[in-house]
Amino acid sequence: MATRAYARTALVTTTKVRQQRHPLAHRRCETPAMTRAYVAAAGALLTNIDVKELAELLETADDEDTMFVDVREKDEWDAARVRRFQLKPLSEAATWLGDMPKDKKLVVMCKAGVRSMKACEALVAGGHENVYNVVGGIMQYANEIGL
């Protein structure tokens, strides 16, 4: 189930709308289920997707309107990767953040979902509107879908 998160306002899911204010909304935080995301840019939108939704996107998404970004480091990338993803290490974000296309859906993944959330926050703060964070990262993808 996709989850949309608004900083310091409401959590909106595709199945139902729940208005709630999290006491830690001003901080980067994760619930045990990793289903909530609070974005640094107030009012900005990003979407959390699970690995099953990622697998579906990998099959159906068009390269013309979707870009898959892996923000892990080169050694992690060399050890394991998911097809269609491009390596853009978070440690080098200053060199690539400004060059990311704003007209494409950006699907961001890392090892477990923490670095990808940071990258998503930076992308949203930079004016990107279609930003998707893969919850659980490549570890969850490997466990549930396989590489």
Side-chain angles (χ1 to χ4, degrees), residues 2-14 16-26 35-48:
T3 304
R4 292 182 174 209
Y6 298 84
R8 300 184 186 138
T9 56
L11 180 68
V12 181
T13 65
T14 55
K16 65 181 180 177
V17 176
R18 292 179 288 158
Q19 296 291 329
Q20 79 184 52
R21 190 168 172 83
H22 193 281
L24 300 175
H26 65 284
T35 57
R36 295 185 182 129
Y38 294 95
V39 184
L45 173 69
L46 70 83
T47 303
N48 276 334

Side-chain angles (χ1 to χ4, degrees), residues 57-123:
L57 267 177
L58 288 168
E59 295 299 321
T60 61
D62 184 9
D63 287 336
E64 296 297 318
D65 65 357
T66 306
M67 182 175 184
F68 296 93
V69 180
D70 189 327
V71 295
R72 296 176 301 144
E73 296 301 315
K74 175 94 169 78
D75 60 327
E76 295 172 292
W77 170 263
D78 291 339
R81 65 183 82 164
V82 176
R83 65 183 177 82
R84 296 185 70 185
F85 275 82
Q86 298 176 27
L87 178 63
K88 304 274 187 194
L90 185 61
S91 63
E92 300 171 12
T95 63
W96 57 262
L97 272 174
D99 300 331
M100 299 301 285
K102 291 188 179 183
D103 61 335
K104 288 188 176 187
K105 180 186 299 185
L106 300 174
V107 181
V108 185
M109 179 175 66
C110 67
K111 182 177 179 182
V114 177
R115 285 176 285 178
S116 60
M117 178 56 75
K118 290 178 183 179
C120 287
E121 290 173 355
L123 288 164

